[in-house]
Amino acid sequence: MLSVSEAFQLIEQTILPASVCEVPLSQAAGRVSACDVISDSDSPPFNKALMDGFAIRTLDIQDDVRLKVIERITAGEVPQCSLEPGTAIQVMTGAQLPAGTDAVIRIEDVLTPEEDEISFTIDSISPGRNVMSRGESMQMGEVVVACGERLAFPKIALLAELGRSKVSIIPQPSVAVLATGNELVPIDQTPGPGQIRNSNETMLVAQVENAGVKAVPLGIARDDRDDLRSHMKTGLQSDFLLLSGGVSAGVLDLVPSVLAELGVQQVFHKVHMKPGKPIWFGVRPADAENSRPCYVFGLPGNPVSSMVCCELFVKFALNRIENLPGLPAESRKARLRQAHLVKGDRPVYYPARITHNDHELTATPVRWVGSADLRGASEANGMILFTPRDAEYQENEIVDVWKWIEII
Amino acid sequence: MLSVSEAFQLIEQTILPASVCEVPLSQAAGRVSACDVISDSDSPPFNKALMDGFAIRTLDIQDDVRLKVIERITAGEVPQCSLEPGTAIQVMTGAQLPAGTDAVIRIEDVLTPEEDEISFTIDSISPGRNVMSRGESMQMGEVVVACGERLAFPKIALLAELGRSKVSIIPQPSVAVLATGNELVPIDQTPGPGQIRNSNETMLVAQVENAGVKAVPLGIARDDRDDLRSHMKTGLQSDFLLLSGGVSAGVLDLVPSVLAELGVQQVFHKVHMKPGKPIWFGVRPADAENSRPCYVFGLPGNPVSSMVCCELFVKFALNRIENLPGLPAESRKARLRQAHLVKGDRPVYYPARITHNDHELTATPVRWVGSADLRGASEANGMILFTPRDAEYQENEIVDVWKWIEII
């Protein structure tokens, strides 16, 4: 059976980065830049006041000196005068400094700031004080955003400062979620005997949205070729179709064969891991009717299996379509807070509570009885990878962890 | 001047938790639960198969035993027969087990699974194997979601399983962003002499949305009482109004006085910190015309001052209106990766690159020249608190950090 790292490699090889598009900057937060962005100007564009106060020449400042105020500049105004020996110009924070300025004296350090002549409560000031020189923060021609970088608010702010009101990004992929199974009822209904609520749909939508991507639920498809086919056809118009259920070895697991009829090529089925072994992955390539491929994950029906496979493989695939590099970026190291014995021969992705303890990341397995135990997993905010081995994992060992959600 | 912790206390005392509302579960992800949720059922509701295979009685299994298959159950079907000595019933993963079952033999371990009589490739199996007992994951009456807990996808999934298709939450607050200043031009325009682009609006909207809350930009208000008043009136209809600029000591800093006219009471102005000293905070209490209070932050105009104050104070306030407890949850410890000298007498929130290094969190100050240096801060994903002291901060010291965005 395929190993987890082989599965990652197959996903990596299968998924083509999406085409680039241009969007308003206000829609770019969280998306990946599709090009280098180069500064077309110096920042600040002029020598600039960092404080409200008076632009002066430091040479002029000695004990008891008085300077003549020859101009007062407010924000948005440009200085008309240059500083001559013995003069000062009032400026506000952010204002362009008059020619000849080499420092700004804070208004707090000025006696009689309303008068035409001012004197100071300080007797010296070094050149450059409270002045930001042209180009000090950014120079024309510098790469300020790299191609392939995810745009968080600090870069969005910088792009706004640079006037990049439109930016080239990799668009957010479209994701459809389809639960399959005769045993499912909608979550607002009371299950009859042998039935369960379709909690996977709600979970997968929330999980994909937690990864920053909108997901559309398609409802429940029954274990019936026609019903599966019509629901899947809708789903295959998205960039990703996430199926829940129907991929293990049961009598009615029709999903793989109906997918094949619809032109979806299997890439892999089953991965040596726990939970999540039955996972299925395939692709409907782009063709005459479909300008873009659709990547299909058949996620196991057990809720925690589905959850783990979504965190591990679907999130990785979402990164790949955005052309982000290499293997899962979400993996971290943490200190294990209690001993743990691995059962079975498969690597286990075990729900855990990951917390910051001083400057260390620590991980505690939650009480969890297996892939159907959503209650146990709901207390987790991540998972620990336990690889089968002869000895028990010891308290304080360093283990690999994946965070699911914000670690508080 | 107020200390940062005094400012936090004043915000904490001023902000009242928002009223509770009920929303569909599909809209609850990321919001805070407004009540305890108690399980109304056992999970699983019946003894359940954890594998595709055959329900058996472990007593029956010895060398060479053959069992008679008396029923085959698919998902959604309920067993009609009970297990009698010497019989087996085929089940799928998730199926309700027939009375009398105490283990499930995996289909992989069954010879001739299609026949009416089956035998096994294993010679023993312990009771409980591949069976999840009723109530093993969750028992009726248990508190599964606590009041005040932020609902991430694992809890959303559990609520779906429980059929809580509507949930009581603290609604997402409404946030308006208003930039002020004569020097501002929209980001798609080229600034004339002495002008700058209104990058703070784009930044603050992205920053608030990064905290999980939608923000609405109101454009630019000029340094003019009438224009400020009409824009502010619109903004005061939100739960939060974030103003950018107009709160330092400049000639045209009209913001506090126009706010006072509109019934906004100042709570504090200026905090002993760097950057961000000029920050202003106030409240327009609920009254006859306004059913809810509006909390107003006057953020400094310098972009990194605004950014730091938003991360520190606005995000804290957003947590408080959701009734989340105590002081900033975002503070962490990290190992400092290079020596750093603090200048001045104020605590400095210094832009930094926070990264995971093995199981430790580490922080490296970025190259940054001050509150106007957005370029420098754009390379950061968080900030380090440097408190003024006689000695330089040493490499490898443990420092307080705040993450701004996802730490990769």
Side-chain angles (χ1 to χ4, degrees), chain A residues 52 137 142 155 161-163 187 197 249-250 332 335 356 359-361 373 375 378-379 403 406-407, chain B residues 52 137 142 155 161-163 187 197 249-250 332 356 359-361 373 375 378-379 403 406-407:
Chain A
D52 292 329
S137 142
E142 218 179 323
K155 291 281 167 145
E161 186 178 273
L162 288 172
I187 63 165
R197 293 194 183 92
R332 303 268 176 272
R335 188 181 292 282
H356 290 274
H359 65 294
E360 287 193 345
L361 213 54
D373 182 9
R375 163 69 181 128
S378 79
E379 295 295 332
K403 74 167 199 55
E406 198 69 32
I407 301 170
Chain B
D52 292 329
S137 142
E142 216 179 327
K155 291 280 167 143
E161 186 178 273
L162 288 172
I187 63 165
R197 293 194 183 92
R332 303 268 176 272
H356 290 273
H359 64 296
E360 287 193 345
L361 213 53
D373 182 10
R375 163 69 181 129
S378 79
E379 295 295 332
K403 74 166 197 56
E406 197 69 33
I407 301 170

Side-chain angles (χ1 to χ4, degrees), chain A residues 139-269:
Chain A
Q139 301 204 335
M140 192 187 297
E142 218 179 323
V143 174
V144 294
V145 171
C147 183
E149 184 178 345
R150 199 177 283 285
L151 296 170
F153 70 79
K155 291 281 167 145
I156 295 288
L158 183 65
L159 290 169
E161 186 178 273
L162 288 172
R164 302 300 175 104
S165 55
K166 293 190 172 180
V167 286
S168 280
I169 54 137
I170 311 276
Q172 185 174 122
S174 55
V175 179
V177 173
L178 176 60
T180 71
N182 286 341
E183 75 279 24
L184 300 178
V185 299
I187 63 165
D188 57 355
Q189 289 180 25
T190 303
Q195 296 183 319
I196 56 168
R197 293 194 183 92
N198 176 20
S199 59
N200 280 2
E201 171 184 291
T202 311
M203 175 180 79
L204 290 169
V205 169
Q207 211 169 349
V208 168
E209 292 188 354
N210 183 54
V213 176
K214 181 118 193 71
V216 177
L218 301 181
I220 300 167
R222 297 304 168 188
D223 291 326
D224 162 296
R225 301 194 85 83
D226 289 339
D227 200 40
L228 280 171
R229 195 182 296 110
S230 72
H231 279 88
M232 284 177 180
K233 270 189 177 170
T234 307
L236 287 169
Q237 290 166 21
S238 306
D239 296 311
F240 287 93
L241 170 58
L242 309 186
L243 299 161
S244 160
V247 290
S248 52
V251 179
L252 293 184
D253 288 345
L254 302 168
V255 164
S257 72
V258 178
L259 285 170
E261 280 177 41
L262 294 170
V264 182
Q265 299 161 6
Q266 177 177 316
V267 176
F268 64 75
H269 186 191

Side-chain angles (χ1 to χ4, degrees), chain B residues 3 28 42 44 51 70-71 77 100 112 161 181 185 216 224 260 266 270 277 385 390:
Chain B
S3 71
D42 291 336
M51 291 287 182
I70 56 171
E71 191 181 355
E77 287 183 356
T112 61
E161 186 178 273
V185 299
V216 177
D224 161 295
Q266 178 177 317
K270 295 192 177 166
K277 189 176 78 169
L385 169 58
D390 290 339

Side-chain angles (χ1 to χ4, degrees), chain A residues 56-178:
Chain A
I56 54 115
R57 296 155 26 101
T58 50
L59 272 180
D60 285 343
I61 304 285
Q62 295 152 13
D63 289 328
D64 293 331
V65 78
R66 298 180 70 78
L67 299 179
K68 188 173 177 217
V69 178
I70 56 171
E71 191 181 356
R72 296 180 191 267
I73 307 167
T74 57
E77 286 183 355
V78 185
Q80 303 299 314
C81 305
S82 298
L83 278 186
E84 304 297 331
T87 65
I89 292 179
Q90 187 171 6
V91 291
M92 289 178 61
T93 303
Q96 178 172 348
L97 290 171
T101 305
D102 69 350
V104 171
I105 291 195
R106 298 187 306 165
I107 199 155
E108 297 92 316
D109 298 329
V110 173
L111 294 168
T112 62
E114 308 297 320
E115 307 287 307
D116 283 351
E117 279 211 340
I118 51 171
S119 58
F120 317 105
T121 60
I122 53 170
D123 55 10
S124 73
I125 184 168
S126 49
R129 188 82 187 129
N130 301 325
V131 171
M132 189 169 173
S133 304
R134 174 174 180 160
E136 193 173 331
S137 142
M138 179 171 56
Q139 301 204 335
M140 192 187 297
E142 218 179 323
V143 174
V144 294
V145 171
C147 183
E149 184 178 345
R150 199 177 283 285
L151 296 170
F153 70 79
K155 291 281 167 145
I156 295 288
L158 183 65
L159 290 169
E161 186 178 273
L162 288 172
R164 302 300 175 104
S165 55
K166 293 190 172 180
V167 286
S168 280
I169 54 137
I170 311 276
Q172 185 174 122
S174 55
V175 179
V177 173
L178 176 60

